[in-house]
Amino acid sequence: MSQLSIVIPAYNEEGSIVETLESLYVALQLAEIDHEIVVVNDNSKDQTLAILENLQKSIPSLTIYTNPGPNGFGYAIRYGLERFKGGIVAVMMADLSDDPQDLIAFYRLMVDKNLDCVFGSRFIKGGSTHDYPKHKYIINRFANTLIRLLVGIPYNDSTNAFKMYRKNTIEGLKPFLSAHFNLTIELPLKAIIRGYSYDVLPNSWRNRKAGQSNLKIKEMGSRYLFILLYILIEKYLSRNDYLKK
């Protein structure tokens, strides 16, 4: 089966990164999944890089890159997506919000059904959120409903960062436009309107135990809107020039 790469952006995650990577590594070892864990240090100002270098002694599948800049959530993921080696790649968070068991379920579904993508949803039967801030929940549901209606898709959690793609799918979605968290909607929406096959599984999400979220809602609204407008332009005006070949 294809090697699984997990790309994890990390900025000032000294309080979470050890537990995140150790739990991920143990789960993948127990599941006997050939993998690499690719952590992109996004020029952290704390001890994240030193901790990662120490973890390489106990996690042999861990590869570390430092994104020299420009920096930002989207840039860090893009840096990792240019360098992973597996035939399948997942994007996960460094803050313990994603469950390794969900990752394993995504991988097995992708392999069993030969899919191009597997997306997670926290808002279907079997999905869950824990300690989700009320105001973020309201904004999330409004944004995802708007995306679903405008793009004309059934998928209801596009802003969920936890997704999986085949390597050739990632190549077919380039070039990437997003520098920040709007990359979370650029990748799946491009994949859907370009005709890549996908399925959706429920996943769980937990609020971080340590550190601070780098998502600033006030700063992201226009960036999400930019990507959404781009997707609509491509869908309705590109005359299918970007469809999966």
Side-chain angles (χ1 to χ4, degrees):
M1 289 192 292
S2 295
Q3 183 186 50
L4 171 62
S5 298
I6 305 97
V7 172
I8 302 174
Y11 176 72
N12 291 351
E13 294 289 358
E14 63 182 8
S16 301
I17 197 67
V18 173
E19 188 175 353
T20 296
L21 296 187
E22 288 182 343
S23 61
L24 177 59
Y25 177 67
V26 168
L28 290 168
Q29 286 292 98
L30 290 174
E32 299 182 340
I33 294 175
D34 180 27
H35 71 277
E36 62 165 350
I37 301 172
V38 180
V39 178
V40 181
N41 167 46
D42 201 32
N43 269 321
S44 298
K45 303 300 187 286
D46 62 1
Q47 294 301 306
T48 295
L49 180 57
I51 292 170
L52 285 169
E53 291 172 342
N54 188 59
L55 279 171
Q56 283 186 307
K57 301 172 186 176
S58 57
I59 303 179
S61 57
L62 174 59
T63 299
I64 305 164
Y65 294 106
T66 291
N67 175 23
N71 298 120
F73 178 85
Y75 282 127
I77 292 176
R78 287 163 57 179
Y79 197 86
L81 291 179
E82 292 292 342
R83 290 162 176 81
F84 75 92
K85 297 180 174 64
I88 295 173
V89 62
V91 175
M92 293 184 72
M93 304 297 280
D95 59 5
L96 285 171
S97 60
D98 300 320
D99 189 335
Q101 294 305 318
D102 290 334
L103 175 74
I104 292 167
F106 280 31
Y107 177 78
R108 287 176 173 161
L109 179 66
M110 176 170 276
V111 171
D112 289 346
K113 297 181 71 172
N114 194 29
L115 296 166
D116 295 318
C117 323
V118 177
F119 303 144
S121 176
R122 299 159 289 183
F123 306 106
I124 59 175
K125 185 178 180 180
S128 62
T129 59
H130 305 271
D131 300 322
Y132 205 132
K134 184 76 176 289
H135 69 288
K136 287 189 176 182
Y137 176 86
I138 293 171
I139 294 171
N140 176 293
R141 300 324 301 142
F142 172 79
N144 277 285
T145 299
L146 181 65
I147 290 169
R148 183 170 54 82
L149 293 175
L150 289 178
V151 183
I153 57 175
Y155 181 43
N156 71 348
D157 198 10
S158 296
T159 58
N160 187 349
F162 189 28
K163 302 183 178 82
M164 184 176 288
Y165 305 88
R166 289 198 181 271
K167 187 179 185 70
N168 61 355
T169 304
I170 289 294
E171 292 301 315
L173 304 182
K174 293 178 180 179
F176 304 132
L177 306 176
S178 302
H180 299 282
F181 282 85
N182 48 342
L183 188 68
T184 61
I185 69 169
E186 179 182 351
L187 297 180
L189 294 182
K190 276 184 175 178
I192 292 171
I193 68 169
R194 292 182 183 184
Y196 289 90
S197 64
Y198 72 97
D199 206 341
V200 180
L201 281 182
N203 75 285
S204 63
W205 180 92
R206 292 183 179 275
N207 203 357
R208 61 171 53 245
K209 297 178 182 178
Q212 294 183 339
S213 171
N214 298 313
L215 174 59
K216 304 294 187 291
I217 291 176
K218 289 182 179 179
E219 299 175 7
M220 286 307 303
S222 62
R223 291 179 173 127
Y224 279 114
L225 182 59
F226 163 70
I227 291 300
L228 179 56
L229 291 175
Y230 170 85
I231 293 297
L232 293 174
I233 290 169
E234 179 178 318
K235 179 176 182 179
Y236 294 111
L237 299 181
S238 70
R239 303 185 68 84
N240 298 327
D241 288 340
Y242 303 99
L243 284 181
K244 176 185 176 181
K245 301 297 189 290

